Amino acid sequence: MTMPLTEEHMAPMFRSAFGRPYRHSTSCGSTQDQLLDSDPEGTVAVCEEQTAGRGRRGRLWAAPSGRALLASIVLKPPNERPAAQLTLLSGVVVAALIERELCVPVGIKWPNDVLVGNAKVAGILAEQRGAAVMLGIGINVNQTADELPGDARLPPTSLRVLAGRPFSRSELLAALVEELETTYRGWAERGLSVVSDELAHRDVLRGERLEVGAAAGVGAGIGSDGALLIETTSGLEAVVAGEVNVTW
Ligand code: BTN
């Protein structure tokens, strides 16, 4: 039985400003909808189970109760910072956190998939609401192999499957919130350059054959603005949004 991530349990574990206020429910539709754009920056919502958890591009995000980390956080980025970069920024934070736990390389498939090998361990969903961005993070933590979704676009995995042992979700959540705050504040001041080296090093699409919409070619990195660069037969193309199909 895993310990629920109640406010009583989590409040003493948050070491910086983010994580207050904190909203926890046993079950909700989506943590994204537990937050309002009038909530202060850094408000966090966590549910043990989501009945309508969502991924990018209208997909479902499903996990059995109490196994995954299902969290959303309110951010209010400065006007000059493109909110789309928050997906990449938080992907880097999540990847670094998981890498530290597992001691295996963790990659990012632009723009929002966090991978170990070619298996997905976490995903990010940034939704703009007024001046706020609801940043949703789903990390597969303690699911066993048969609890992972069978119909996923990328093969799913979890920390537990990868390491052969369960993890403390509360420690992961506290570290995630703190590290996200630090990286976010750096980005708000200085832009995506705060993670560009790490993003380049985690980019699993570089050098791979890709297709995104009409663009096809070889992954050529991530631009300084966060666009996916593809070397096509007619030159370098920058893709700002889309679904990447890759032939590994
Ligand atoms: C994706 O990989 O497509 C994004 C997945 C994002 C899932 C998280 S779980 C917490 C938050 N609430 C949601 O409904 N979605 C995000």
Side-chain angles (χ1 to χ4, degrees):
M1 184 59 198
T2 61
M3 174 102 76
L5 301 170
T6 58
E7 182 171 14
E8 190 190 11
H9 184 49
M10 288 311 305
M13 296 180 74
F14 291 128
R15 293 171 285 253
S16 50
F18 281 16
R20 271 170 282 260
Y22 178 79
R23 275 178 214 138
H24 173 262
S25 334
T26 305
S27 179
C28 68
S30 161
T31 55
Q32 295 287 89
D33 302 329
Q34 302 294 103
L35 298 169
L36 300 170
D37 53 1
S38 54
D39 284 328
E41 181 165 76
T43 305
V44 169
V46 166
C47 296
E48 298 299 318
E49 173 191 46
Q50 298 181 123
T51 55
R54 49 185 188 265
R56 265 180 87 242
R57 309 180 80 79
R59 295 195 184 91
L60 290 176
W61 182 270
S65 181
R67 301 295 225 195
L69 197 51
L70 307 168
S72 297
I73 183 158
V74 179
L75 299 174
K76 308 224 164 146
N79 289 336
E80 68 275 20
R81 298 280 171 239
Q85 294 180 356
L86 287 170
T87 304
L88 294 169
L89 192 83
S90 40
V92 166
V93 172
V94 170
L97 179 70
I98 296 175
E99 187 165 294
R100 218 170 51 226
E101 292 293 325
L102 295 180
C103 301
V104 295
V106 180
I108 292 176
K109 176 174 177 275
W110 184 97
N112 75 309
D113 298 315
V114 180
L115 307 183
V116 176
N118 62 2
K120 177 159 171 168
V121 66
I124 319 285
L125 176 70
E127 295 177 324
Q128 184 101 37
R129 218 167 298 157
V133 174
M134 306 309 172
L135 184 76
I137 298 175
I139 306 180
N140 294 331
V141 180
N142 285 331
Q143 292 105 310
T144 57
D146 58 358
E147 290 172 336
L148 291 163
D151 56 353
R153 173 182 50 104
L154 290 163
T157 191
S158 69
L159 271 68
R160 180 177 186 163
V161 166
L162 290 162
R165 66 167 176 94
F167 286 77
S168 158
R169 291 182 311 144
S170 55
E171 279 168 21
L172 287 168
L173 177 61
L176 173 67
V177 167
E178 184 178 5
E179 286 155 32
L180 189 64
E181 177 172 354
T182 306
T183 309
Y184 170 75
R185 293 201 193 284
W187 169 82
E189 263 183 38
R190 303 196 300 282
L192 200 60
S193 62
V194 293
V195 292
S196 50
D197 287 353
E198 192 172 345
L199 202 49
H201 144 85
R202 297 195 185 279
D203 173 14
V204 299
L205 298 180
R206 183 183 274 275
E208 302 292 341
R209 284 220 66 80
L210 314 178
E211 274 179 27
V212 193
V218 175
I222 295 169
S224 57
D225 58 352
L228 177 68
L229 304 177
I230 306 183
E231 190 68 62
T232 71
T233 47
S234 44
L236 200 60
E237 280 195 37
V239 174
V240 295
E243 172 75 7
V244 181
N245 292 309
V246 57
T247 334
W248 303 110

